[in-house]
Amino acid sequence: MRIIVLGSGNWGTTLSIIFSQKNDVVLWTINSEEARIINEKRENIFYLPGIKLPDNMVIEEKFSSPIAEDDILILAVPSRKIESVAAELKANGFDKGIVINVSKGVKHSTLKTISEIITEAFPGVRFANLTGPTISREIAEGLPAKAILASRDLALLFHLQDVLENPLLKFEFSRDVEGVELAASLKGII
């Protein structure tokens, strides 16, 4: 089992760093040039300058390796890109597994949440949302935080807690996926 983080922005990179403490983590970048630079410097100079990446963390262009059914896929892309990412996932043979969304937002034209978009595109996925009052740079620098894992699948929540929780990031559970997503989205407006 690997954790694949799709999106090498500051939050995706931070989650890759902390989850690599006890897991095999692959950080997927938008292109091979970005992957090359991050690998060469062992630092995401674009989004988290000054934070060194662990040696065991793999950085590669998205879809460079196949997604196995037991992998955990973390979507750390802007919410406006979720539909195009779903199309790319389908084109690359993904149709079931565990998907964790860490992006905040809704589709503006339909007001669909990310969970609705992903579960409609992939009815076989086990979906969770990770959100909370977290600041990626602070966590990357070693400050602890607490976040919310939301899923209707209680067994999935306990599995994710076991796999992901570490000294820097602890979780509370919620089964109200849409409520958690909407609260995170509305926080930005307020």
Side-chain angles (χ1 to χ4, degrees):
M1 182 213 68
R2 299 175 304 165
I3 296 172
I4 299 172
V5 180
L6 178 52
S8 57
N10 55 2
W11 192 219
T13 303
T14 295
L15 292 175
S16 297
I17 292 168
I18 64 170
F19 293 155
S20 70
Q21 291 174 2
K22 65 178 194 177
N23 299 286
D24 292 330
V25 174
V26 179
L27 176 62
W28 276 356
T29 65
I30 196 161
N31 58 48
S32 60
E33 180 64 10
E34 185 175 307
R36 183 191 64 74
I37 292 168
I38 294 171
N39 271 311
E40 207 171 81
K41 302 210 179 271
R42 294 312 293 170
E43 175 182 337
N44 189 335
I45 62 170
F46 307 105
Y47 295 100
L48 278 178
I51 304 291
K52 290 296 175 198
L53 303 181
D55 291 335
N56 67 322
M57 198 172 108
V58 175
I59 299 98
E60 62 186 28
E61 180 180 8
K62 62 184 174 178
F63 304 110
S64 291
S65 57
I67 303 170
E69 195 171 320
D70 66 339
D71 288 340
I72 296 173
L73 178 63
I74 297 177
L75 301 178
V77 297
S79 58
R80 67 183 181 281
K81 300 279 187 187
I82 289 294
E83 287 183 320
S84 63
V85 165
E88 283 183 284
L89 286 165
K90 274 189 183 199
N92 283 278
F94 179 81
D95 65 349
K96 61 184 171 181
I98 296 173
V99 174
I100 302 172
N101 169 58
V102 300
S103 300
K104 297 174 181 156
V106 297
K107 182 174 180 181
H108 294 178
S109 61
T110 63
L111 297 182
K112 283 187 179 181
T113 63
I114 293 171
S115 66
E116 290 173 312
I117 293 167
I118 293 300
T119 56
E120 284 175 14
F122 306 102
V125 302
R126 297 176 73 194
F127 183 87
N129 203 62
L130 187 157
T131 192
T134 54
I135 298 173
S136 63
R137 179 137 199 122
E138 289 180 356
I139 296 171
E141 290 173 346
L143 295 174
K146 196 166 213 181
I148 297 168
L149 272 173
S151 178
R152 288 181 203 85
D153 182 342
L154 191 57
L156 176 61
L157 290 173
F158 282 106
H159 171 65
L160 293 175
Q161 180 181 40
D162 185 52
V163 171
L164 302 178
E165 199 167 77
N166 60 69
L168 292 180
L169 192 59
K170 301 291 184 192
F171 299 110
E172 288 190 22
F173 292 164
S174 175
R175 304 218 29 222
D176 182 9
V177 177
E178 288 83 9
V180 166
E181 285 181 293
L182 292 173
S185 298
L186 294 171
K187 177 221 45 116
I189 295 170
I190 293 169

